[in-house]
Structure formats: C-alpha cells, structure tokens
Amino acid sequence: MNAERAFVSMLLVAAVVGLAFLGLAVGQAIKLGEITAVLRHPLLGSGTASLVTAALGGLLLLTLRPQR
C-alpha cells in the first residue's frame, strides 16, 4: 500500500506542477495583452506534458488496482 500512496503522491505533484506551468503561461499572455501568446509560450508544452503524464498515470493506477 505504501508504493501505491507514493505513486499517487507523484501523480498529484505532477498535476500541480502542470497546472502551475499552464497558469504561468496564461498569466504571461494576459500581461502582454495578447491571449494568443499563450500558444507560443515555452511552459505550455511542459505543463501539458505534466498533466498528460498525471492523467495517464491515474488511468494506469485504476487499471492495475486489484478488484475487491
């Protein structure tokens, strides 16, 4: 059970980091006054990759969980 909790903790950290990166990208675009600048921001790809990793890890965790 400890390994499962550690894996869930890593997924939560990945999701929080992904949301923070996306928030920084959107905030910078708003600061510039051009909302389409978010599409060119370098943190957009990193944040998206982090969120996708967290989502796929969550799906993996759900599929590998033993049936009770």
Side-chain angles (χ1 to χ4, degrees):
M1 189 72 167
N2 286 335
E4 184 179 350
R5 285 186 181 177
F7 191 68
V8 169
S9 296
M10 288 189 303
L11 292 178
L12 288 175
V13 167
V16 168
V17 167
L19 288 174
F21 281 178
L22 289 178
L24 287 170
V26 170
Q28 182 71 26
I30 291 172
K31 182 180 173 185
L32 291 173
E34 184 182 350
I35 196 66
T36 59
V38 74
L39 298 175
R40 296 184 305 271
H41 202 281
L43 288 178
L44 179 70
S46 299
T48 304
S50 184
L51 284 176
V52 167
T53 301
L56 290 176
L59 287 174
L60 177 69
L61 188 66
L62 287 176
T63 58
L64 293 179
R65 191 168 194 180
Q67 302 271 334
R68 293 184 187 189

